[in-house]
Amino acid sequence: MQQNTREGQKDNGIVDSWWYKYLLKGVGTLGGLLAILFGLFACITFTAMCLLAGVLQMVAGFIVVLLEAPCCCQFVEFADKISSFSDKRPAWQKAVLYCLLGLVPIAACIEAWTVLGAGLVFACGALYGLKAVGKKGDRESMMAAASGADQEMTVQLIHSEGKADLHVPDSPSIP
């Protein structure tokens, strides 16, 4: 197994590659823009909950676009500051935020436009969640975990086997 380290950081495989970062930005930007569009379509309804879900979906889409692609929000003066703050956050925080932003409109009204639009925001959150979890373990450690064998305990038992005092004291005879 090849270990690539850059500036003291360990290699997490696919989730730290350059194309995965662009995939996250692309899915976030496209998902946010489509969430705004589908939220507008969801507002064309006769129920108040679906109208609320459409508005919440447009707000969620705007937040995602603001955090992922501030170049699309040049009319907002503080977009660059928010984006740089967002880039410094760990991936699990973005995953939680995007998943919650994606679930709220779907919970309010389950119709095609909300599921499609908010589902894309949720998918971006799921991709950030995969980045936060990182690379899975190597084959040997996974096999050891699956077999239930505890390697540290086995080594400790083997090393302390000679130190065990197995002498049973003589007991007085019972009449």
Side-chain angles (χ1 to χ4, degrees):
M1 187 166 119
Q2 182 182 0
Q3 289 280 340
N4 292 334
T5 57
R6 289 184 189 150
E7 301 168 12
Q9 297 175 351
K10 61 182 223 185
D11 181 28
N12 280 336
I14 287 177
V15 294
D16 279 343
S17 62
W18 63 270
W19 62 268
Y20 196 78
K21 292 176 185 174
Y22 287 124
L23 176 73
L24 288 173
K25 293 286 186 184
V27 169
T29 304
L30 184 66
L33 291 173
L34 287 177
I36 293 170
L37 179 69
F38 292 156
L40 184 65
F41 292 153
C43 287
I44 304 170
T45 185
F46 295 111
T47 62
M49 286 303 287
C50 289
L51 179 67
L52 176 67
V55 171
L56 288 175
Q57 182 175 330
M58 288 191 295
V59 169
F62 178 73
I63 290 171
V64 171
V65 170
L66 183 67
L67 295 177
E68 293 296 324
C71 61
C72 295
C73 301
Q74 292 180 354
F75 57 90
V76 180
E77 293 178 9
F78 52 88
D80 289 331
K81 292 178 184 177
I82 290 176
S83 178
S84 64
F85 175 76
S86 170
D87 288 339
K88 294 175 186 172
R89 300 288 98 204
W92 69 268
Q93 290 178 355
K94 284 185 176 183
V96 169
L97 176 68
Y98 293 165
C99 286
L100 288 176
L101 286 175
L103 285 178
V104 172
I106 294 174
C109 177
I110 299 177
E111 65 176 16
W113 297 119
T114 56
V115 170
L116 287 174
L120 289 170
V121 173
F122 185 85
C124 182
L127 288 173
Y128 270 109
L130 288 175
K131 182 178 179 175
V133 169
K135 183 180 175 184
K136 69 179 187 176
D138 59 347
R139 186 170 195 266
E140 290 80 24
S141 64
M142 291 180 68
M143 293 287 284
S147 68
D150 189 0
Q151 296 296 328
E152 292 177 17
M153 182 187 296
T154 305
V155 169
Q156 182 67 22
L157 287 175
I158 290 173
H159 289 307
S160 63
E161 184 178 8
K163 299 176 187 175
D165 186 18
L166 299 176
H167 176 69
V168 178
D170 294 331
S171 62
S173 62
I174 301 177

